[in-house]
Amino acid sequence: MALPVTDESLWFRRFHPRPEAEVSLVCLPHAGGAASFYFPISELLPPTVEALAVQYPGRQDRRHDAPIEDIHEMAREIYQALKPLTAHRPIALFGHSMGASVGFELARLLEGELGTVPLALFASGRPAPSHHRSLGIHRRDDAGLIAELQLVSGTDSRILGDTELLRLALPAIRSDYKAAETYAYRPGARLACDIVGLTGDSDIRVSAAEMAGWREHTAGSFRLEVFSGGHFYLDEQKAAVAGVITDTLRAATARPRRTID
Protein backbone atom coordinates (compact mmCIF):
# COMPACT_ATOMS: atom_id res chain seq x y z
CA MET A 1 0.00 0.00 0.00
CA ALA A 2 1.41 3.37 -0.99
CA LEU A 3 2.06 5.79 1.85
CA PRO A 4 0.90 9.43 1.88
CA VAL A 5 3.30 12.31 1.62
CA THR A 6 4.00 13.69 5.12
CA ASP A 7 6.66 15.69 6.95
CA GLU A 8 8.35 12.42 7.98
CA SER A 9 11.40 13.27 5.86
CA LEU A 10 13.00 14.95 8.87
CA TRP A 11 13.38 11.59 10.61
CA PHE A 12 13.21 8.81 8.00
CA ARG A 13 15.27 7.92 4.93
CA ARG A 14 13.89 5.57 2.28
CA PHE A 15 16.94 4.36 0.38
CA HIS A 16 14.92 1.81 -1.58
CA PRO A 17 11.29 2.99 -1.79
CA ARG A 18 8.81 0.14 -1.97
CA PRO A 19 5.34 1.72 -2.13
CA GLU A 20 3.60 -1.64 -2.27
CA ALA A 21 5.50 -3.18 0.64
CA GLU A 22 3.53 -4.99 3.33
CA VAL A 23 5.74 -3.97 6.28
CA SER A 24 7.70 -0.87 7.30
CA LEU A 25 10.95 -1.75 9.10
CA VAL A 26 12.06 1.21 11.22
CA CYS A 27 15.86 1.01 11.54
CA LEU A 28 17.50 2.77 14.49
CA PRO A 29 21.29 3.43 14.36
CA HIS A 30 23.93 3.01 17.03
CA ALA A 31 25.64 5.81 18.97
CA GLY A 32 27.42 7.98 16.43
CA GLY A 33 25.60 6.23 13.60
CA ALA A 34 23.49 7.67 10.81
CA ALA A 35 20.66 6.44 8.63
CA SER A 36 23.15 5.42 5.92
CA PHE A 37 24.40 2.61 8.19
CA TYR A 38 21.29 0.70 7.12
CA PHE A 39 21.64 1.21 3.36
CA PRO A 40 23.08 -2.30 2.78
CA ILE A 41 20.34 -3.98 4.84
CA SER A 42 17.65 -1.94 3.07
CA GLU A 43 19.01 -3.04 -0.30
CA LEU A 44 18.86 -6.73 0.65
CA LEU A 45 15.30 -6.76 1.96
CA PRO A 46 12.54 -8.27 -0.20
CA PRO A 47 9.90 -6.16 -2.02
CA THR A 48 7.49 -6.86 0.85
CA VAL A 49 9.60 -4.92 3.38
CA GLU A 50 10.49 -1.23 3.14
CA ALA A 51 13.22 0.08 5.43
CA LEU A 52 12.69 3.47 7.07
CA ALA A 53 16.16 4.35 8.34
CA VAL A 54 16.04 6.87 11.15
CA GLN A 55 18.22 9.96 10.89
CA TYR A 56 19.01 11.26 14.36
CA PRO A 57 19.64 15.02 14.67
CA GLY A 58 23.24 16.23 14.64
CA ARG A 59 24.63 14.24 11.69
CA GLN A 60 24.80 14.18 7.90
CA ASP A 61 21.92 16.23 6.46
CA ARG A 62 20.73 17.00 10.03
CA ARG A 63 24.14 18.15 11.25
CA HIS A 64 22.78 21.58 12.20
CA ASP A 65 20.05 20.13 14.43
CA ALA A 66 20.87 19.85 18.12
CA PRO A 67 21.59 16.25 19.19
CA ILE A 68 19.23 14.62 21.67
CA GLU A 69 20.92 13.34 24.83
CA ASP A 70 18.07 11.28 26.28
CA ILE A 71 16.80 7.91 24.99
CA HIS A 72 13.24 8.52 26.17
CA GLU A 73 13.11 11.90 24.42
CA MET A 74 14.59 10.40 21.26
CA ALA A 75 11.96 7.65 21.24
CA ARG A 76 9.18 10.19 21.81
CA GLU A 77 10.31 12.35 18.87
CA ILE A 78 10.50 9.36 16.54
CA TYR A 79 7.13 8.13 17.79
CA GLN A 80 5.49 11.44 16.88
CA ALA A 81 6.91 11.23 13.36
CA LEU A 82 5.97 7.56 13.00
CA LYS A 83 2.37 7.78 14.24
CA PRO A 84 0.84 8.85 10.90
CA LEU A 85 2.42 5.85 9.18
CA THR A 86 1.11 3.15 11.51
CA ALA A 87 -2.38 3.16 9.98
CA HIS A 88 -1.10 2.25 6.52
CA ARG A 89 0.91 -0.88 7.13
CA PRO A 90 2.35 -2.93 10.02
CA ILE A 91 5.54 -1.74 11.70
CA ALA A 92 8.62 -3.67 12.79
CA LEU A 93 11.64 -2.21 14.59
CA PHE A 94 15.37 -2.92 14.23
CA GLY A 95 17.82 -1.22 16.55
CA HIS A 96 21.55 -1.75 16.85
CA SER A 97 23.42 -0.94 20.09
CA MET A 98 21.97 2.37 21.36
CA GLY A 99 19.30 1.96 18.70
CA ALA A 100 18.02 -1.17 20.45
CA SER A 101 17.25 0.89 23.56
CA VAL A 102 15.53 3.52 21.41
CA GLY A 103 13.59 0.75 19.69
CA PHE A 104 12.47 -0.73 23.01
CA GLU A 105 11.15 2.62 24.24
CA LEU A 106 9.55 3.28 20.85
CA ALA A 107 7.78 -0.09 21.02
CA ARG A 108 6.51 0.82 24.48
CA LEU A 109 5.02 4.04 23.12
CA LEU A 110 3.45 2.31 20.13
CA GLU A 111 1.84 -0.32 22.34
CA GLY A 112 1.01 1.83 25.33
CA GLU A 113 -0.31 4.94 23.59
CA LEU A 114 -1.52 3.72 20.19
CA GLY A 115 -2.38 0.11 20.97
CA THR A 116 -0.21 -0.83 17.97
CA VAL A 117 1.88 -3.96 18.43
CA PRO A 118 4.99 -4.07 16.22
CA LEU A 119 5.40 -7.28 14.27
CA ALA A 120 8.79 -7.68 15.95
CA LEU A 121 11.52 -5.81 17.78
CA PHE A 122 14.97 -6.80 16.52
CA ALA A 123 17.37 -5.88 19.35
CA SER A 124 20.98 -6.02 18.20
CA GLY A 125 24.24 -5.75 20.15
CA ARG A 126 22.80 -4.18 23.31
CA PRO A 127 22.21 -5.47 26.84
CA ALA A 128 18.56 -5.87 27.77
CA PRO A 129 17.05 -2.71 29.30
CA SER A 130 17.03 -4.26 32.78
CA HIS A 131 20.74 -5.18 32.38
CA HIS A 132 21.84 -1.66 31.45
CA ARG A 133 25.28 -0.47 32.52
CA SER A 134 27.57 2.49 31.77
CA LEU A 135 31.28 2.58 31.03
CA GLY A 136 31.44 6.37 31.30
CA ILE A 137 32.70 6.73 27.74
CA HIS A 138 30.83 9.99 27.14
CA ARG A 139 32.87 11.62 29.95
CA ARG A 140 36.22 10.82 28.33
CA ASP A 141 38.24 13.45 26.48
CA ASP A 142 38.25 13.46 22.68
CA ALA A 143 41.20 11.07 22.50
CA GLY A 144 39.45 8.60 24.80
CA LEU A 145 36.25 8.77 22.79
CA ILE A 146 38.13 8.21 19.54
CA ALA A 147 39.92 5.24 21.12
CA GLU A 148 36.54 3.67 21.89
CA LEU A 149 35.36 4.18 18.31
CA GLN A 150 38.51 2.52 17.02
CA LEU A 151 38.12 -0.34 19.48
CA VAL A 152 34.60 -1.28 18.41
CA SER A 153 35.11 -0.15 14.78
CA GLY A 154 31.75 1.55 14.78
CA THR A 155 32.58 4.72 12.87
CA ASP A 156 33.44 4.99 9.19
CA SER A 157 37.23 4.71 8.91
CA ARG A 158 37.20 7.68 6.54
CA ILE A 159 35.91 9.84 9.39
CA LEU A 160 38.44 8.49 11.88
CA GLY A 161 41.23 9.34 9.45
CA ASP A 162 39.95 12.80 8.58
CA THR A 163 40.61 15.39 11.30
CA GLU A 164 38.08 17.90 9.98
CA LEU A 165 35.28 15.36 9.58
CA LEU A 166 36.03 13.96 13.02
CA ARG A 167 35.90 17.42 14.58
CA LEU A 168 32.45 17.91 13.08
CA ALA A 169 31.20 14.47 14.11
CA LEU A 170 32.46 14.25 17.70
CA PRO A 171 29.79 16.44 19.36
CA ALA A 172 26.97 14.24 18.05
CA ILE A 173 28.91 11.07 18.88
CA ARG A 174 29.49 12.25 22.44
CA SER A 175 25.81 13.22 22.81
CA ASP A 176 24.77 9.76 21.61
CA TYR A 177 27.08 8.06 24.08
CA LYS A 178 25.66 10.24 26.84
CA ALA A 179 22.13 9.23 25.86
CA ALA A 180 23.08 5.56 25.72
CA GLU A 181 25.01 5.55 29.00
CA THR A 182 22.57 7.63 31.05
CA TYR A 183 19.56 5.63 29.88
CA ALA A 184 17.44 4.57 32.86
CA TYR A 185 15.08 1.65 32.43
CA ARG A 186 11.64 2.33 33.89
CA PRO A 187 9.91 -0.86 35.07
CA GLY A 188 6.57 -1.51 33.43
CA ALA A 189 4.48 -3.96 31.49
CA ARG A 190 6.27 -6.36 29.19
CA LEU A 191 5.98 -5.74 25.47
CA ALA A 192 3.35 -7.69 23.57
CA CYS A 193 5.52 -7.88 20.47
CA ASP A 194 8.00 -10.66 19.80
CA ILE A 195 11.67 -9.86 20.34
CA VAL A 196 14.56 -11.24 18.31
CA GLY A 197 17.99 -10.67 19.85
CA LEU A 198 21.00 -10.49 17.53
CA THR A 199 24.65 -10.40 18.54
CA GLY A 200 28.18 -11.15 17.41
CA ASP A 201 29.94 -14.08 19.04
CA SER A 202 33.01 -11.94 19.84
CA ASP A 203 31.24 -8.71 20.84
CA ILE A 204 33.26 -7.14 23.66
CA ARG A 205 30.43 -4.79 24.64
CA VAL A 206 27.62 -7.25 25.38
CA SER A 207 27.58 -10.74 26.87
CA ALA A 208 25.33 -13.65 25.94
CA ALA A 209 23.60 -13.36 29.34
CA GLU A 210 22.89 -9.66 28.77
CA MET A 211 21.41 -10.44 25.35
CA ALA A 212 19.34 -13.31 26.76
CA GLY A 213 17.91 -10.81 29.25
CA TRP A 214 15.72 -9.39 26.49
CA ARG A 215 13.50 -12.44 27.10
CA GLU A 216 12.32 -10.75 30.32
CA HIS A 217 10.82 -7.85 28.37
CA THR A 218 8.27 -9.55 26.18
CA ALA A 219 5.07 -11.47 26.74
CA GLY A 220 5.51 -12.75 23.20
CA SER A 221 8.21 -15.02 21.85
CA PHE A 222 11.95 -14.50 22.12
CA ARG A 223 14.88 -16.02 20.32
CA LEU A 224 18.55 -15.17 20.10
CA GLU A 225 20.50 -15.21 16.82
CA VAL A 226 24.29 -15.32 17.16
CA PHE A 227 26.53 -14.36 14.23
CA SER A 228 30.25 -14.54 13.64
CA GLY A 229 31.83 -11.19 14.42
CA GLY A 230 32.23 -8.43 16.96
CA HIS A 231 30.07 -5.49 17.97
CA PHE A 232 29.59 -4.51 14.35
CA TYR A 233 28.99 -8.01 13.03
CA LEU A 234 26.37 -6.48 10.72
CA ASP A 235 29.10 -5.14 8.44
CA GLU A 236 30.11 -8.69 7.52
CA GLN A 237 26.80 -10.49 8.06
CA LYS A 238 24.43 -8.26 6.10
CA ALA A 239 22.91 -11.02 4.00
CA ALA A 240 22.40 -13.32 7.00
CA VAL A 241 20.79 -10.55 9.04
CA ALA A 242 18.52 -9.59 6.14
CA GLY A 243 17.54 -13.25 5.94
CA VAL A 244 16.57 -13.34 9.62
CA ILE A 245 14.52 -10.17 9.20
CA THR A 246 12.81 -11.49 6.08
CA ASP A 247 11.93 -14.89 7.55
CA THR A 248 10.69 -13.38 10.82
CA LEU A 249 8.46 -10.82 9.13
CA ARG A 250 7.13 -13.32 6.60
CA ALA A 251 5.95 -15.52 9.47
CA ALA A 252 4.58 -12.54 11.41
CA THR A 253 2.51 -11.19 8.51
CA ALA A 254 0.94 -14.63 8.06
CA ARG A 255 -0.63 -14.30 11.52
CA PRO A 256 -3.58 -12.05 12.42
CA ARG A 257 -2.42 -8.52 13.22
CA ARG A 258 -2.34 -7.88 16.96
CA THR A 259 -3.53 -4.73 18.69
CA ILE A 260 -3.93 -3.61 22.30
CA ASP A 261 -7.33 -2.22 23.29
Side-chain angles (χ1 to χ4, degrees):
M1 178 183 295
L3 297 176
V5 175
T6 70
D7 61 355
E8 70 190 61
S9 60
L10 183 68
W11 282 96
F12 303 117
R13 303 292 175 268
R14 285 185 172 92
F15 297 118
H16 304 93
R18 296 177 176 125
E20 303 306 319
E22 299 173 4
V23 180
S24 293
L25 178 68
V26 179
C27 299
L28 302 140
H30 53 282
S36 56
F37 176 73
Y38 286 106
F39 183 96
I41 294 292
S42 172
E43 188 173 33
L44 291 168
L45 293 173
T48 53
V49 181
E50 181 181 60
L52 302 180
V54 172
Q55 189 74 299
Y56 301 141
R59 67 223 64 208
Q60 293 185 338
D61 55 346
R62 297 193 66 187
R63 62 187 177 278
H64 298 301
D65 297 340
I68 296 175
E69 298 183 339
D70 181 84
I71 294 292
H72 297 281
E73 181 183 349
M74 183 84 77
R76 172 67 64 178
E77 291 288 335
I78 297 168
Y79 168 71
Q80 294 296 341
L82 186 61
K83 271 199 303 185
L85 307 184
T86 60
H88 301 282
R89 62 168 76 133
I91 299 291
L93 308 172
F94 189 110
H96 180 64
S97 199
M98 180 187 79
S101 295
V102 179
F104 173 73
E105 294 299 337
L106 180 56
R108 280 181 145 184
L109 291 169
L110 288 168
E111 293 189 1
E113 298 193 9
L114 273 188
T116 296
V117 180
L119 293 179
L121 167 61
F122 298 92
S124 169
R126 178 76 164 165
S130 55
H131 290 239
H132 175 69
R133 54 186 166 76
S134 174
L135 298 176
I137 295 166
H138 73 281
R139 293 192 295 269
R140 298 178 184 176
D141 61 15
D142 286 353
L145 185 55
I146 293 169
E148 171 66 15
L149 299 176
Q150 292 171 331
L151 180 64
V152 298
S153 301
T155 298
D156 192 316
S157 60
R158 291 171 298 177
I159 295 178
L160 291 176
D162 187 311
T163 303
E164 182 62 19
L165 282 178
L166 195 55
R167 183 185 66 80
L168 294 173
L170 275 179
I173 294 171
R174 186 178 300 281
S175 292
D176 284 357
Y177 269 91
K178 181 178 180 180
E181 294 191 310
T182 59
Y183 168 65
Y185 167 65
R186 300 168 183 171
R190 291 185 296 171
L191 293 176
C193 70
D194 299 337
I195 296 180
V196 179
L198 306 94
T199 190
D201 60 6
S202 56
D203 190 340
I204 64 172
R205 287 291 175 249
V206 58
S207 69
E210 289 171 327
M211 287 301 305
W214 282 95
R215 186 186 305 274
E216 305 165 14
H217 296 284
T218 177
S221 69
F222 171 82
R223 76 176 191 274
L224 180 61
E225 300 279 351
V226 180
F227 301 87
S228 175
H231 190 61
F232 283 88
Y233 70 90
L234 285 93
D235 290 337
E236 299 171 354
Q237 304 291 344
K238 294 182 285 288
V241 171
V244 168
I245 294 170
T246 299
D247 292 345
T248 301
L249 296 183
R250 182 181 295 120
T253 54
R255 301 192 299 262
R257 188 174 180 181
R258 291 181 289 174
T259 59
I260 298 174
D261 297 328

